[in-house]
Amino acid sequence: MKKANCTHVREFVFQGFSNFQEHQVTLFIVFFVLYILTLTGNVIIVTIIRIDHHLHTPMYFFLSVLSTSETFYSLVIIPRMLGSLVGLSQTISLECCRTQLFFFLGFAITNCLLLAVMGYDRYVAICNPLRYSIIMNWRVCIILASSVGATGFLLSLIQAVAIFRLPFCNTLIEHFFCDVRPILDLACTVPVINDILTLALSLMVITAPATFLFVSYVLIISTILKIASAEGRRKTFATCASHLTVVIIHYGCASIAYFKPKSENTRDQDQLISVTYTVITPLLNPVVYSLRNKEVQDALRKVLGKKSLS
């Protein structure tokens, strides 16, 4: 690994996908297509929810916030990754790396907390339907969405400042973007305090929301099973199934990435996990959660129908 003086490291070099040199073009095409699909899907979701008044409900409000967050989350990582695959610069300045880590963590934490808020929304809608409009009024929705974003970027700021106060003795990042563990591996000393901080933040933004969602879904499923009609049970469960799918994949990948023992780190495994939560997971929101939703599909047909008539 390339060595440098601890006090003069001003830029880093991404190792990227150098283990897959012969597949660089293929990887570029695959990731580019997935990126375009992610951007297109999320823009469609936000636009449809905004123009169709039938979708002006808390559930779809949080969906539009998640889609917006996922869009910016992708913008932070994927364009630079695509550039490196076609031979553009693999270097990144210390300031840009710090900025990328800050926004990556900010949007990632926001997404984790948003999924928990969306789970709470489904819990209230199914388990306490008579008080749903009172509990989940627009003021509460806006406060929840704002609080989630503010919390995400505050925790991200704390983590980024703590990491980049360290002296660095290496410049080669064995990854394709500035993530927590690859940056900590470049430190001159063993970053014990940073490891503790990373674990604490992971427990706060992964384990705590995942536990809350698990309890919420136990209560939701028990309520669904009490519904008399089979059709009613099917429709009610359908509104939760997509969210549950996204939750399992999202928290599953995050847990593997941030709770896996350091001694088990292997570069290829880490890159595969990272590709999942930076490229594939953002695509799940529009594909799995929204575009398969009947109300969103009806709204999309309505908009396309009006355009064809005009």
Side-chain angles (χ1 to χ4, degrees):
M1 185 175 285
K2 185 180 177 182
K3 295 287 183 180
N5 189 307
C6 295
T7 59
H8 291 97
V9 173
R10 302 305 303 166
E11 69 175 20
F12 300 110
V13 179
F14 292 121
Q15 193 164 344
F17 297 93
S18 57
N19 282 3
F20 306 94
Q21 285 288 348
E22 66 276 16
H23 303 296
Q24 298 268 321
V25 175
T26 303
L27 288 174
F28 173 83
I29 293 171
V30 171
F31 293 155
F32 180 74
V33 170
L34 291 175
Y35 179 54
I36 295 301
L37 289 174
T38 298
L39 292 183
T40 305
N42 282 316
V43 169
I44 289 173
I45 293 304
V46 173
T47 304
I48 291 297
I49 291 173
R50 184 173 180 81
I51 64 179
D52 193 314
H53 70 276
H54 294 103
L55 301 181
H56 292 177
T57 64
M59 173 181 169
Y60 292 108
F61 167 73
F62 290 125
L63 257 179
S64 66
V65 175
L66 181 63
S67 291
T68 303
S69 180
E70 293 278 22
T71 300
F72 286 106
Y73 173 81
S74 300
L75 284 169
V76 171
I77 305 298
I78 301 180
R80 176 176 280 273
M81 180 188 73
L82 291 174
S84 68
L85 285 170
V86 292
L88 298 182
S89 176
Q90 296 273 18
T91 63
I92 185 170
S93 68
L94 187 141
E95 291 76 15
C96 288
C97 188
R98 180 167 51 218
T99 302
Q100 186 183 54
L101 179 69
F102 168 71
F103 282 107
F104 161 68
L105 289 177
F107 287 116
I109 295 171
T110 296
N111 294 341
C112 282
L113 299 179
L114 264 176
L115 286 171
V117 169
M118 293 166 76
Y120 174 70
D121 172 71
R122 290 300 82 207
Y123 163 76
V124 175
I126 293 170
C127 298
N128 203 352
L130 297 179
R131 300 192 62 213
Y132 178 69
S133 60
I134 298 172
I135 296 173
M136 297 301 293
N137 60 64
W138 283 112
R139 181 173 174 273
V140 170
C141 291
I142 292 171
I143 290 174
L144 284 172
S146 303
S147 300
V148 160
T151 302
F153 281 94
L154 176 61
L155 295 177
S156 172
L157 179 64
I158 293 171
Q159 179 73 297
V161 169
I163 289 174
F164 283 92
R165 286 171 63 89
L166 295 169
F168 298 108
C169 287
N170 297 308
T171 61
L172 184 63
I173 301 176
E174 294 185 339
H175 209 32
F176 57 87
F177 72 97
C178 294
D179 202 355
V180 175
R181 172 49 52 195
I183 298 299
L184 289 178
D185 287 342
L186 306 182
C188 297
T189 57
V190 178
V192 177
I193 300 299
N194 296 84
D195 286 338
I196 294 172
L197 176 62
T198 300
L199 177 61
L201 291 178
S202 298
L203 290 171
M204 191 184 305
V205 303
I206 299 173
T207 306
T211 303
F212 171 77
L213 282 165
F214 175 76
V215 174
S216 297
Y217 269 101
V218 168
L219 297 173
I220 288 171
I221 292 171
S222 66
T223 302
I224 291 174
L225 293 176
K226 294 175 184 175
I227 297 175
S229 70
E231 182 65 16
R233 287 196 299 271
R234 188 189 66 78
K235 286 184 177 179
T236 306
F237 187 74
T239 64
C240 301
S242 296
H243 177 249
L244 194 56
T245 301
V246 174
V247 163
I248 291 171
I249 295 175
H250 189 97
Y251 285 104
C253 290
S255 298
I256 294 170
Y258 291 100
F259 289 123
K260 188 175 67 170
K262 186 179 177 181
S263 59
E264 292 184 11
N265 279 350
T266 63
R267 183 164 163 258
D268 290 345
Q269 282 183 357
D270 288 348
Q271 285 193 339
L272 179 61
I273 295 166
S274 298
V275 165
T276 302
Y277 68 72
T278 57
V279 180
I280 298 173
T281 301
L283 185 61
L284 291 178
N285 179 40
V287 173
V288 176
Y289 197 0
S290 303
L291 294 180
R292 291 185 62 191
N293 183 291
K294 189 176 185 303
E295 290 178 307
V296 174
Q297 289 177 346
D298 291 342
L300 184 59
R301 289 192 195 99
K302 193 186 301 181
V303 171
L304 293 176
K306 285 181 181 178
K307 285 189 174 182
S308 63
L309 289 173
S310 61

